[in-house]
């Protein structure tokens, strides 16, 4: 019987894989047999995640600020040196915005968030594509966007704009590189309990106004993203490209 979840022999990169949603996806990939490289800045979290993932499969963390072209190139070179190839890359690293009235937002604030959420995806995708082009099997790219990328986000407009940008990047890459067996897709999380949302997670007001409107009636968890990562990295999705996968407990249709 075909096992589309078996990633043995595959090498997956997860940017921001040392925490939150990225770590949830990295766990799923490692548990499915992939060798996993995680790229992140925080040395302590990198070491912790590497140790945890190593219990399931081969895993290595690389110190990398995805907004920095040279650091991305070094992390990819290190990944290839360690594992010999790369088959998938999930551009998950991202930061939230400082909320406030749009008309008062400093343009530097916009540039700061875009440097990670957009430049980081561009640089990571470019580095992976260069590797994918060397192999007939191509590879799989995944951008972690957000519901804010399609709905927009009042008082957090710059964040929504960066997440919309990565959807257009993903679709363009899917169109340009499909002929090389390179596919690109996006995952759009809803409200997920991570460090990014810690201010809202304990809030009763937030529960009453927002989480009660999630049909599955709870915050999402990092582990809710594991299977989607495995599907998009693996052979089951080899004819799936240019698509957006919303994982939000049904929030966006209610
Ligand atoms: P976390 O804050 O838990 O994790 C963010 C991860 O990104 C960390 O591993 C962090 O590692 C890494 N990261 C941040 N900046 C950089 C950088 N410059 N270079 C490399 N790595 C970086 O947040 P989430 O897990 O919630 O977020 C993951 C993704 O999901 C983000 O893109 C976010 O926008 C998106 N998302 C989250 C939602 C939610 O409700 N939580 C909803 C919709 C989308 P380190 O600091 O060590 O670099």
């Amino acid at each position: 019987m075909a096992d589309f979840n078996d990633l043995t022999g595959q090498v997956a990169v997860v940017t921001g894989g040392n925490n939150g949603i990225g770590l949830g996806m990295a766990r799923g990939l490692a548990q499915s047999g992939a060798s996993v490289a995680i790229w992140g800045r925080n040395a302590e979290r990198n070491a912790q995640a590497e140790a945890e993932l190593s219990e399931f499969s081969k895993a290595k963390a690389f110190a990398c600020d995805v907004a920095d072209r040279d650091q991305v190139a070094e992390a990819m070179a290190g990944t290839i040196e360690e594992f010999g190839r790369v088959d998938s890359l999930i551009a998950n690293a991202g930061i939230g915005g400082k909320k406030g009235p749009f008309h008062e937002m400093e343009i530097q604030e916009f540039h700061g968030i875009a440097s990670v959420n957009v430049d980081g995806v561009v640089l990571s995708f470019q580095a992976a594509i260069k590797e994918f082009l060397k192999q007939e099997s191509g590879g799989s790219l995944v951008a972690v966007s957000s519901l804010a990328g399609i709905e927009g986000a009042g008082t957090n407009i710059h964040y929504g704009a960066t997440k919309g940008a990565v959807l257009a990047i993903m679709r363009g890459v899917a169109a340009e590189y499909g002929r090389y067996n390179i596919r690109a897709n996006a995952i759009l999380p809803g409200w997920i309990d991570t460090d990014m949302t810690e201010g809202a997670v304990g809030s009763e007001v937030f529960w009453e106004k927002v989480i009660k409107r999630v049909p599955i009636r709870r915050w999402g968890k990092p582990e809710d993203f594991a299977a989607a990562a495995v599907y998009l990295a693996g052979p089951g999705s080899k004819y799936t490209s240019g698509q957006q996968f919303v994982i939000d407990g049904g929030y966006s249709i209610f």
Side-chain angles (χ1 to χ4, degrees), residues 147 150-151 187-192 211 213-220 224-225 245-254:
L147 277 186
I150 41 180
E151 293 178 346
I187 290 176
L188 286 68
W191 292 106
I192 316 304
I211 304 301
R213 286 168 40 220
V214 175
I216 292 183
R217 290 283 173 123
R218 63 166 172 85
W219 281 87
D224 293 322
F225 294 82
F245 294 85
V246 175
I247 299 178
D248 68 347
Y251 179 72
S252 54
I253 52 87
F254 193 45

Side-chain angles (χ1 to χ4, degrees), residues 16 18-19 21 41-42 45 65-66 92 159 163 190 192 194:
N18 67 23
N19 206 39
I21 293 170
R41 295 166 306 172
N42 183 298
R45 281 206 305 252
D65 180 342
V66 294
N92 158 80
Y159 177 77
K163 293 299 182 178
I192 316 304
T194 67

Side-chain angles (χ1 to χ4, degrees), residues 163-218:
K163 293 299 182 178
V166 304
L167 293 175
I169 292 164
M170 173 279 288
R171 283 192 289 268
V173 167
E176 185 173 343
Y177 292 96
R179 74 197 64 182
Y180 305 108
N181 261 337
I182 295 171
R183 55 202 202 277
N185 293 285
I187 290 176
L188 286 68
W191 292 106
I192 316 304
D193 179 353
T194 67
D195 286 357
M196 188 178 277
T197 48
E198 67 177 342
V201 169
S203 155
E204 263 184 45
V205 176
F206 199 87
W207 174 269
E208 286 298 320
K209 292 205 160 155
V210 179
I211 304 301
K212 261 185 145 174
R213 286 168 40 220
V214 175
I216 292 183
R217 290 283 173 123
R218 63 166 172 85

Side-chain angles (χ1 to χ4, degrees), residues 13 39 72-73 76-77 80 85-91 120-143 166 168-185 241:
V13 175
W39 300 357
V72 169
M76 183 54 87
I80 299 297
R85 58 184 288 121
V86 63
D87 300 287
S88 58
L89 178 136
I90 301 181
V121 174
V122 169
L123 294 169
S124 305
F125 273 18
Q126 287 177 320
I129 290 168
K130 285 178 189 154
E131 296 304 319
F132 294 167
L133 287 172
K134 297 175 187 166
Q135 54 205 25
E136 229 172 87
S137 57
S140 173
L141 295 165
V142 179
V166 304
I169 292 164
M170 173 279 288
R171 283 192 289 268
V173 167
E176 185 173 343
Y177 292 96
R179 74 197 64 182
Y180 305 108
N181 261 337
I182 295 171
R183 55 202 202 277
N185 293 285
S241 200

